[in-house]
Amino acid sequence: MTAELVRGQNHTLPQTRLEIRVSAGSPVVAGATLGDEQGTVHGIEWIAHPGSPQLPGLEVSKQAAADHRLAVDLDALPGSVHRVTVLLALPVGAGGPARFGAVAAPFVAVTGLDGTEIATFTLTGLDAESAVTALELYRRRGVWKVRAVGQGYAAGLAEMLADQGVARAAELAASIQEAVARGLARSVAPPPPRTPDGDRVRHGASPAPSSGDRRPPAAPPVAPVPPEPLPDPATAGPAAAPPTGGPINYAHPRRATAPPPPPPTAPPTAPGSPATPVAGDATGWSMDERLYNQIWGMFEDLARATAAYRSAVDFAESRMDQELDRALSDPRNRIGGAGDRAREAARAKRDELTSRAREALDRDLAQLAAEAAVVEPALPAAYAGWANPVWHAYQVPMEMPMALRIGDLHLPEATELRIPLLVRLPLERGIWVDSGRTASEAATLMESDQLRRLAMETAVMHAARMLAVYPAGEFSVHVIDPAGSGAAALAPLVRSGVLAGPPAAGPGGVTSVLAHLTRRVDLVQMAVRAGAADSLPPDLDTGEQLLIVNDFPHGFDDRAVTQLRYLADEGPSVGVHLLMVADREDASAYGPVLDPLWRSLLRITPVADDHLADPWVGHAWTYEPLALPAGSRVLEQVLARVTEARRTGGR
């Protein structure tokens, strides 16, 4: 039975391998400290945080998120550790709330590895605090217990760490927030949470609770690091054996148990037979929204399944090391063949556990691959790759779609399973196409001029896709190309006449375009704040605006750099978006001044690179840009239809 704790209450823990699940209404930083009998933290090596997420017996998330799962193995903690304190803090400089009083009360649950709740605690009563000690696990007379704490700190993470005796707490807090900022910059933003009326459901979750219930939905035991250890073959019952033979069961264990009914075109499923994958097998008001939610569900499923596999492998390796240490610590096993037999037995156990983990992962991958095979052909143009036949029947849409595909993602465990990378529209942050040779391993093998050309071609294809998915006349593209080096890549946009004006060249062109867009941002912001949108000048284009910048910072003076930073920060909220092609090394003379600019942009590359992170587990995913099929003229055909729709007023 779950113990619902209040501040100061404790509860005995029935097991030593645990998960601590955190649910908050806004991204938070989750960490933990290890303390001695007096609760003193003896150094930074006793603190797990996003910049250093693993300690013996403890692992925390690598980035700020609204939901966390912290893994704890109390038996694996050092013998001198008597207390594990779970800390939460709001990220600094992320544009989110600055105090816990401005967000929903965080909810913390201590669970077993099967997801069964042992104790829960809702952190109510917080106001000006930006950091809080949520709960602590402590050992008393050899028994581990959990205590609800809820102690907040208005001065933030530094004050909280100092309160636990950490030396140079302010420096450590700053380094943790810096690691969080780096993680947020490389993380793909998850789709916004939905209400029970319209909404995206978390795969594997039970129906959403009422607004008064802060407890997160129960989920099956598919956790990030580490997962439940695989059962010992010597003690596991028949249920532990994986199913073999027969057709693949497409009822994915992390899918909602009651999906909406399939479209009428789907064949009926016989009772008792495996569920057939169906495009649009998710909630949503429209087919586009259902496909969007389904793709994000596949993304999350693959992230968590891979995390479970990697953690099971790590557990098998750790178990082998522990068994070898125990066996070889006995001097009698060092004589004769006893030591060799112990090594062989430990390695065989490791290999068996690893093999079974791979079998489980392969079953998940088979289910996801079958789902991807039916989803990809059903995607609308905004979600589809250039090779999808949907582009051959392209028509200019009457309304903006939910999202736009800007590439594909995959993991090394399943390189053939590609997840479409969808970003919400209108864009919530700008995009940076990194043209640097040090950006990735593939980039280092290319000539600098070739890489810059590919980067600009990538930017042009993204701009063309945005033009194609917006209604006629509701999206304009401006270009700054100070030296004219992107003329060849820009040719499709220039020839089709879809640009708002000729590409701006030289310092004068840079100044003119930036001044025009800065004025637009200022005017729209003032109108919105004053509630006077109808007072905007008649010559002001109120449609979405995209600014492509090539070869930054060439042609930019200090004022132009400041204006560009302003557009990157303030533009997205009023419909001005940045698509920048740049090599960060070219701007190294500016030093840390431009760090906020780089972090504000979603970095992608013109070649494959494993730099993006998912928002659930933090895996490094390989990003691959979308490419036109060889010899295809689909880009020119799409742009021609956009131009014609503009000429005819969308008819």
Side-chain angles (χ1 to χ4, degrees):
M1 184 174 182
T2 304
E4 297 184 2
L5 306 180
V6 297
R7 189 174 278 105
Q9 189 177 5
N10 61 36
H11 182 73
T12 300
L13 295 172
Q15 57 200 76
T16 57
R17 286 182 62 82
L18 307 164
E19 277 189 355
I20 299 174
R21 303 186 180 190
V22 178
S23 177
S26 180
V28 297
V29 182
T33 60
L34 305 180
D36 59 17
E37 288 186 273
Q38 287 71 44
T40 302
V41 180
H42 288 278
I44 60 173
E45 66 276 7
W46 282 38
I47 304 173
H49 57 82
S52 178
Q54 289 183 314
L55 294 177
L58 177 64
E59 184 159 4
V60 304
S61 304
K62 298 177 182 177
Q63 58 198 47
D67 297 290
H68 292 272
R69 293 186 183 183
L70 285 63
V72 181
D73 184 351
L74 298 174
D75 288 338
L77 295 173
S80 56
V81 172
H82 289 258
R83 188 174 302 178
V84 179
T85 304
V86 177
L87 317 174
L88 304 178
L90 294 171
V92 175
R99 59 188 185 89
F100 275 107
V103 302
F107 172 86
V108 184
V110 179
T111 76
L113 293 179
D114 61 355
T116 302
E117 290 182 347
I118 299 169
T120 65
F121 176 42
T122 302
L123 285 76
T124 57
L126 299 175
D127 186 11
E129 298 89 345
S130 60
V132 61
T133 300
L135 52 78
E136 62 183 16
L137 313 180
Y138 64 97
R139 181 164 52 187
R140 183 74 53 83
R141 299 186 183 91
V143 177
W144 282 96
K145 298 183 178 183
V146 56
R147 176 187 291 121
V149 181
Q151 174 64 52
Y153 297 85
L157 190 58
E159 181 186 10
M160 180 167 56
L161 293 173
D163 193 41
Q164 296 192 39
V166 178
R168 304 173 71 176
E171 294 182 20
L172 176 59
S175 69
I176 292 173
Q177 293 288 4
E178 175 69 17
V180 171
R182 290 195 301 268
L184 288 173
R186 63 188 289 267
S187 177
V188 179
R194 306 298 180 86
T195 66
D197 294 333
D199 10 353
R200 191 178 73 90
V201 293
R202 291 178 62 91
H203 293 288
S206 59
S210 66
S211 58
D213 186 356
R214 286 292 306 144
R215 294 192 296 170
V222 181
V225 191
E228 181 178 4
L230 293 170
D232 190 327
T235 60
T244 58
I248 295 173
N249 183 359
Y250 293 106
H252 199 277
R254 282 169 294 283
R255 275 292 179 265
T257 55
T265 55
T269 302
S273 63
T276 302
V278 176
D281 186 7
T283 57
W285 292 107
S286 66
M287 188 60 173
D288 284 3
E289 184 176 6
R290 292 165 66 182
L291 286 167
Y292 172 82
N293 290 337
Q294 186 173 15
I295 289 170
W296 271 94
M298 293 165 61
F299 189 7
E300 182 176 1
D301 288 345
L302 181 55
R304 295 197 184 280
T306 304
Y309 166 71
R310 292 180 181 179
S311 296
V313 171
D314 289 343
F315 169 75
E317 293 285 348
S318 174
R319 176 173 175 167
M320 180 186 70
D321 292 340
Q322 293 174 8
E323 290 180 351
L324 288 175
D325 288 343
R326 285 195 298 268
L328 299 180
S329 63
D330 186 347
R332 291 171 298 180
N333 289 337
R334 301 174 192 168
I335 302 173
D340 292 337
R341 289 191 296 272
R343 291 188 186 91
E344 291 175 3
R347 288 168 182 159
K349 179 76 73 175
R350 185 270 317 272
D351 293 343
E352 181 180 1
L353 293 177
T354 301
S355 175
R356 293 171 62 184
R358 184 70 211 195
E359 289 176 3
L361 176 64
D362 287 342
R363 288 196 301 273
D364 283 349
L365 295 180
Q367 294 165 8
L368 288 169
E371 188 172 10
V374 299
V375 167
E376 187 70 36
L379 295 178
Y383 304 172
W386 287 114
N388 193 307
V390 71
W391 284 106
H392 297 293
Y394 165 77
Q395 296 294 328
V396 176
M398 299 300 293
E399 60 182 17
M400 179 186 71
M402 288 186 60
L404 179 74
R405 185 174 183 168
I406 62 169
D408 292 329
L409 299 172
H410 66 83
L411 291 171
E413 286 82 358
T415 56
E416 72 288 348
L417 181 55
R418 308 300 172 94
I419 302 294
L421 174 56
L422 302 181
V423 294
R424 293 277 295 191
L425 292 179
L427 293 175
E428 297 170 344
R429 61 193 291 200
I431 297 175
W432 163 32
V433 184
D434 192 348
S435 60
R437 292 189 65 228
T438 59
S440 67
E441 183 178 349
T444 60
L445 304 176
M446 303 179 67
E447 294 295 331
S448 179
D449 290 345
Q450 180 187 13
L451 192 61
R452 291 175 186 270
R453 176 180 57 78
L454 282 177
M456 194 59 189
E457 290 175 353
T458 299
V460 167
M461 282 192 284
H462 289 317
R465 290 177 71 87
M466 286 186 237
L467 283 163
V469 302
Y470 272 84
E474 294 187 12
F475 192 84
S476 299
V477 177
H478 308 262
V479 177
I480 291 178
D481 186 20
S485 59
L490 288 166
L493 299 180
V494 174
R495 285 197 303 264
S496 63
V498 295
L499 295 179
V510 172
T511 300
S512 176
V513 172
L514 291 177
H516 170 72
L517 293 177
T518 300
R519 171 179 175 269
R520 183 196 180 283
V521 171
D522 290 339
L523 289 175
V524 174
Q525 281 187 336
M526 288 188 290
V528 170
R529 290 168 185 163
D534 56 350
S535 64
L536 289 169
D539 63 336
L540 188 74
D541 182 0
T542 57
E544 299 287 312
Q545 312 286 310
L546 177 70
L547 173 60
I548 302 176
V549 177
N550 186 34
D551 274 351
F552 175 81
H554 182 76
F556 282 70
D557 57 19
D558 290 346
R559 176 179 171 80
V561 169
T562 301
Q563 288 178 311
L564 190 69
R565 289 183 56 188
Y566 175 72
L567 292 178
D569 292 339
E570 303 294 333
S573 63
V574 290
V576 176
H577 312 285
L578 183 61
L579 177 53
M580 191 162 74
V581 179
D583 179 357
R584 189 168 182 171
E585 290 298 315
D586 292 344
S588 59
Y590 287 92
V593 172
L594 290 182
D595 285 354
L597 172 64
W598 304 117
R599 289 176 183 166
S600 70
L601 304 174
L602 174 63
R603 174 178 169 258
I604 60 175
T605 51
V607 293
D609 184 35
D610 59 349
H611 66 283
L612 290 177
D614 65 79
W616 305 284
V617 183
H619 293 314
W621 292 71
T622 297
Y623 166 82
E624 291 196 6
L626 298 174
L628 289 168
S632 173
R633 295 187 55 82
V634 65
L635 180 64
E636 290 81 0
Q637 293 167 359
V638 167
L639 291 175
R641 290 176 186 171
V642 171
T643 304
E644 177 64 18
R646 288 183 173 184
R647 187 182 64 80
T648 61
R651 296 189 298 274

